[in-house]
């Protein structure tokens, strides 16, 4: 039994993984002290986590779902 239903399609999951990779590269490139690299790294973790799980809590909160035929 699945506890979480997915609300992200394959295309959106791929785009989230690509965005996470870009943010991770930006965090590494900005590897200075401060809040900007940490913000980029945190964003990368969140995007990668939602992409791998296939579930976005913010999308569920606002009732956004992928169309049935587009999953």
């Amino acid at each position: 039994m699945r506890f979480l239903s997915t609300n992200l399609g394959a295309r959106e999951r791929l785009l989230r993984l690509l965005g996470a990779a870009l943010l991770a590269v930006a965090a590494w490139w900005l590897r200075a002290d401060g809040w900007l690299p940490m913000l980029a790294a945190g964003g990368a973790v969140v995007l990668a986590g939602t992409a791998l799980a296939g579930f976005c809590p913010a999308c569920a909160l606002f009732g956004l779902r992928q169309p049935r035929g587009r999953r």
Side-chain angles (χ1 to χ4, degrees), residues 18-28 37 39-44 47:
L18 290 174
L22 288 174
L23 279 175
V25 167
W28 179 79
L39 184 67
L47 279 178

Side-chain angles (χ1 to χ4, degrees), residues 7 9 64-71:
N7 62 358
L64 302 175
R65 297 186 59 96
Q66 292 291 320
R68 290 273 180 204
R70 308 279 296 193
R71 288 188 179 197

Side-chain angles (χ1 to χ4, degrees), residues 4-55:
L4 292 177
S5 62
T6 59
N7 62 358
L8 298 176
R11 192 176 309 153
E12 187 170 351
R13 291 173 77 176
L14 178 64
L15 288 174
R16 284 175 183 257
L17 278 175
L18 290 174
L22 288 174
L23 279 175
V25 167
W28 179 79
W29 185 62
L30 295 171
R31 60 187 181 271
D33 291 334
W35 58 271
L36 193 56
M38 290 190 167
L39 184 67
V45 168
V46 169
L47 279 178
T50 58
L52 293 175
F55 180 77

